[in-house]
Amino acid sequence: MPTAGGLLIAAGPQCRPDFYNAWRSRDGAPVAPGKLAQLKSGAAGAAGAPAIARLSPATFAHPALASAAADSASDAGRGVLTTWWRLDVDANDAAAGVSGRLDTGEPLMAERSLGRGRVILLAAPLDCRSGNLPTLNCFVPLMHETIAYLAEPATVEPNGRVGQDVIVPLRGAGGRVKRGQRLEVVAPDGSRRRAAVVSAGREPRVRFAGADEPGLY
């Protein structure tokens, strides 16, 4: 596992859960943020299983899903899965968490911090075998945001040009700030300015538009 960057696991119906559930990093930490506990298929008429599971945008608490949750015109609520994995995410695992759910209450997306990188696990594949996700208008933007989010740890540039907006991840601040909240920034001359929280979730991000002189902020 690389020390930076990201990994996306989109679990299909023919994947090997024993492999992903036992996968460990060199340090012995689990790679996947949750276990593939049970393959559920309403289309196959499994006893006691719902016919389908729908995406639940109201539960989307992840930067990559934020646009779909906030946009009233988004068709994410029309997303349907006919086959999906029940993901078991350990609530006592501080490095892992659920980022969005289905209307059944089960996780749709889970994430883990691993080294300097991130691992995202999806409950279903990204094709039409298990639902209608690729037919949604929001599908391409969601995938773009997810890939950009996963690539971010490897590409964050601590140096910016004067006058350029700077977006900074607040690692470790998940749950302690809200989107739209204003935070204080100390400029090189000692003056205090404001930056806006532009995304919340497990790793919030802040946009600062006042970097108009060189130095350490």
Side-chain angles (χ1 to χ4, degrees):
M1 180 69 189
T3 57
L7 172 66
L8 175 64
I9 303 171
Q14 296 182 351
C15 75
R16 294 169 48 196
D18 53 340
F19 168 78
Y20 290 102
N21 294 345
W23 195 5
R24 296 291 186 272
S25 69
R26 293 178 181 177
D27 297 330
V31 171
K35 291 186 176 181
L36 302 175
Q38 178 188 3
L39 182 63
K40 308 187 76 170
S41 179
I52 58 172
R54 297 183 181 276
L55 274 59
S56 179
T59 68
F60 290 178
H62 192 278
L65 304 176
S67 59
D71 186 356
S72 60
S74 171
D75 59 355
R78 293 178 48 237
V80 170
L81 297 180
T82 55
T83 302
W84 67 98
W85 286 93
R86 193 190 83 221
L87 305 181
D88 281 355
V89 181
D90 186 355
N92 296 318
D93 187 344
V98 175
S99 304
R101 295 184 181 272
L102 302 168
D103 66 350
T104 61
E106 299 162 299
L108 167 67
M109 174 190 285
E111 180 187 355
R112 168 181 298 284
S113 299
L114 189 64
R116 291 170 49 210
R118 303 165 173 142
V119 180
I120 285 179
L121 173 64
L122 299 178
L126 299 172
D127 57 28
C128 290
R129 291 176 297 169
S130 299
N132 69 345
L133 302 189
T135 70
L136 301 176
N137 293 330
C138 67
F139 178 75
V140 171
L142 284 177
M143 289 300 96
H144 179 271
E145 292 294 326
T146 300
I147 298 305
Y149 175 84
L150 287 171
E152 187 180 62
T155 59
V156 169
E157 174 54 60
N159 299 312
R161 297 189 301 272
V162 172
Q164 176 187 33
D165 283 9
V166 179
I167 297 180
V168 181
L170 298 181
R171 295 188 174 92
R176 290 187 285 177
V177 296
K178 297 180 180 180
R179 187 175 183 180
Q181 184 176 342
R182 307 287 289 182
L183 302 181
E184 190 174 81
V185 176
V186 180
D189 62 1
S191 63
R192 297 180 182 273
R193 309 181 189 180
R194 294 288 180 177
V197 178
V198 294
S199 66
R202 296 189 65 243
E203 185 171 288
R205 290 184 292 178
V206 170
R207 181 189 299 273
F208 179 58
D212 53 7
E213 58 180 294
L216 179 65
Y217 289 81

